[in-house]
Amino acid sequence: MFLSPIIAVTMGDPAGIGPEVCLKAWRGRGRSDCGFVFFGDADVFLKLSQAAELPMPPVAHSLADAVSTAHANGAAIFHIESLRSCWEPGVVSAMTGEASYRYITTAIEAALGGEVDAVVTGPIHKEALRQSGVQYPGHTEIFEALTRSGRACMMLTSDALTCSFVTTHVGLCDVPSLMSVQRILDVIELTDQAIAKIKGHRSRLVVCGLNPHAGESGLFGNREEERFIVPAIEAARRSGVEIEGPLPPDTAFLPNRRQRTDAFVCMYHDQGHIPLKALSFETAVNTTLGLPIVRTSVDHGTALDIAWKRFDADPTSMLQAVALAMKLCGGDVQSSNLLRGGSCQSPISASQLVTEARSSNESATDSRRHFDTVDESRDSGRATI
């Protein structure tokens, strides 16, 4: 008998809007083409359900029971007890940071073990993670490290625009030192493979230059275009990728070019995030390319300024993230690789996940120079990815 895919959805930081958009997404899904298993603290969901007058699915105390319930009823909450004492909604704390991290690691283990078919992540807060002793700056680093992926990158996608990133949350002064021909080529190849799976045809890519006017033949910058970007483009073109660039970033995203381009390879965070958020803030979806599992995410943060107040958080991005996860799972979820593209070097257990994550704090501090999923805005609570 065919069983619908099971999508693991992590609650995110309990103090933010993650619990709310989870329950709203389940209520708004309206179709039985997948089962939801929400990874989080059932007490938090119950508190949110009562305050916001939202229904909540049944609670299970083991993953096996949660999956069985989701197959039968469409959704279940996998209760992960994680909050040891009182916590305050809308407030950054080490306790909620540690809780959100535990939901993530548990979901990763479930996906690597084949117990769920994809992971959709709710919003987390970097400062809360840091306060809890977890030094990974965001989801992407956590997933890359704990799945032992050889290469990975962030891709944001919407109907209007798709961007992938060579670097993300690092200072502009650090970007050139993180660029290499191989890193740019990796991102190009992962993006090309992703577009083929999502859109069903070979991709048409544009690569942005790093410097104004794409360096103007060495006039601006330190010839990063000639040293790193052009050789990567030429290598990709030799392998059959239809690719253009490096183009000046200020004209790369004009409407006519967007219409004939499937994805833009961007050198740094704001180069792609600004146009994408201007066009598709509520509907864009984040996914990590190159992992041995399917992982998508909302494109917003914890929104601590509105969390647990009016209960008017928009679940659209969560719904879009679930839809993309379903698409990446495909029909035969057991055999399809889809965007997985990477290779998990060896199986990893839950205890190994926690041990390796804790022992990797020093290297994780360096890893925040690579790429990330959610960048929290401390002042407004509204996030930029």
Side-chain angles (χ1 to χ4, degrees):
M1 181 178 67
F2 174 76
L3 296 176
S4 298
I6 295 296
I7 308 298
V9 182
T10 64
M11 173 189 283
D13 192 302
I17 62 171
E20 180 182 350
V21 297
C22 282
L23 293 187
K24 285 183 175 179
W26 168 57
R27 184 184 64 175
R29 180 67 179 166
R31 297 175 58 189
S32 59
D33 52 0
C34 71
F36 290 90
V37 172
F38 295 104
F39 283 60
D41 195 307
D43 294 333
V44 176
F45 278 123
L46 178 60
K47 181 177 181 179
L48 188 283
S49 174
Q50 293 172 339
E53 298 182 348
L54 289 169
M56 62 180 277
V59 176
H61 292 268
S62 73
L63 180 56
D65 287 345
V67 170
S68 177
T69 301
H71 278 307
N73 299 315
I77 292 171
F78 175 28
H79 175 52
I80 302 172
E81 189 173 358
S82 54
L83 299 169
R84 301 177 301 281
S85 59
C86 293
W87 55 279
E88 188 174 352
V91 175
V92 176
S93 74
M95 190 191 320
T96 60
E98 183 178 2
S100 64
Y101 182 68
R102 186 177 176 194
Y103 309 149
I104 297 164
T105 59
T106 307
I108 291 173
E109 184 201 9
L112 289 174
E115 295 169 285
V116 299
D117 299 300
V119 178
V120 175
T121 51
I124 59 176
H125 201 289
K126 285 190 181 66
E127 186 177 348
L129 281 182
R130 189 177 303 115
Q131 288 184 12
S132 73
V134 176
Q135 296 302 314
Y136 295 110
H139 280 110
T140 304
E141 289 86 355
I142 295 171
F143 274 81
E144 183 188 13
L146 300 187
T147 61
R148 299 177 179 176
S149 299
R151 61 178 186 170
C153 75
M154 177 197 294
M155 186 177 81
L156 303 181
T157 184
S158 71
D159 289 341
L161 184 65
T162 296
C163 297
S164 56
F165 296 86
V166 174
T167 68
T168 52
H169 292 102
V170 298
L172 288 176
C173 62
D174 295 323
V175 170
S177 67
L178 298 173
M179 295 173 62
S180 69
V181 175
Q182 188 59 55
R183 172 60 184 166
I184 297 169
L185 182 59
D186 284 345
V187 175
I188 291 171
E189 291 176 346
L190 290 170
T191 306
D192 178 55
Q193 295 162 12
I195 293 300
K197 303 293 172 41
I198 293 173
K199 296 191 176 183
H201 60 73
R202 289 302 303 268
S203 65
R204 296 159 298 183
L205 304 183
V206 163
V207 179
C208 295
L210 172 68
N211 297 294
H213 301 187
E216 196 77 80
S217 300
L219 182 61
F220 306 123
N222 292 310
R223 303 191 71 86
E224 288 87 358
E225 283 76 11
E226 289 80 5
R227 293 159 55 207
F228 305 125
I229 302 176
V230 170
I233 291 172
E234 291 175 345
R237 193 173 285 136
R238 288 194 296 270
S239 69
V241 179
E242 185 178 339
I243 190 167
E244 187 179 1
L247 296 187
D250 59 349
T251 57
F253 302 100
L254 293 176
N256 286 342
R257 194 175 302 281
R258 292 203 313 270
Q259 290 175 8
R260 61 179 189 268
T261 301
D262 293 308
F264 295 80
V265 176
C266 302
M267 295 300 115
Y268 58 91
H269 179 281
D270 286 7
Q271 192 174 74
H273 285 239
I274 289 174
L276 193 135
K277 291 199 169 189
L279 294 168
S280 309
F281 183 77
E282 298 295 343
T283 59
V285 177
N286 191 324
T287 186
T288 307
L289 309 182
L291 300 178
I293 59 178
V294 171
R295 180 259 165 167
T296 66
S297 178
V298 296
D299 76 336
H300 58 72
T302 51
L304 297 181
D305 58 330
I306 68 169
W308 295 84
K309 294 178 180 176
R310 299 183 302 272
F311 302 107
D312 57 358
D314 189 341
T316 301
S317 185
M318 177 65 81
L319 287 164
Q320 295 283 1
V322 170
L324 180 60
M326 281 292 298
K327 189 168 189 177
L328 302 185
C329 283
D332 183 1
V333 296
Q334 298 302 323
S335 63
S336 61
N337 271 332
L338 299 163
L339 290 195
R340 301 176 189 188
S343 58
C344 185
Q345 297 173 10
S346 62
I348 187 165
S349 67
S351 60
Q352 283 178 296
L353 282 175
V354 175
T355 300
E356 291 195 7
R358 297 298 181 188
S359 64
S360 299
N361 276 348
E362 289 187 13
S363 61
T365 301
D366 294 333
S367 78
R368 79 179 62 166
R369 294 166 61 85
H370 292 298
F371 21 79
D372 193 10
T373 302
V374 185
D375 178 24
E376 311 298 342
S377 170
R378 298 185 190 179
D379 295 330
S380 67
R382 198 68 178 168
T384 57
I385 27 181

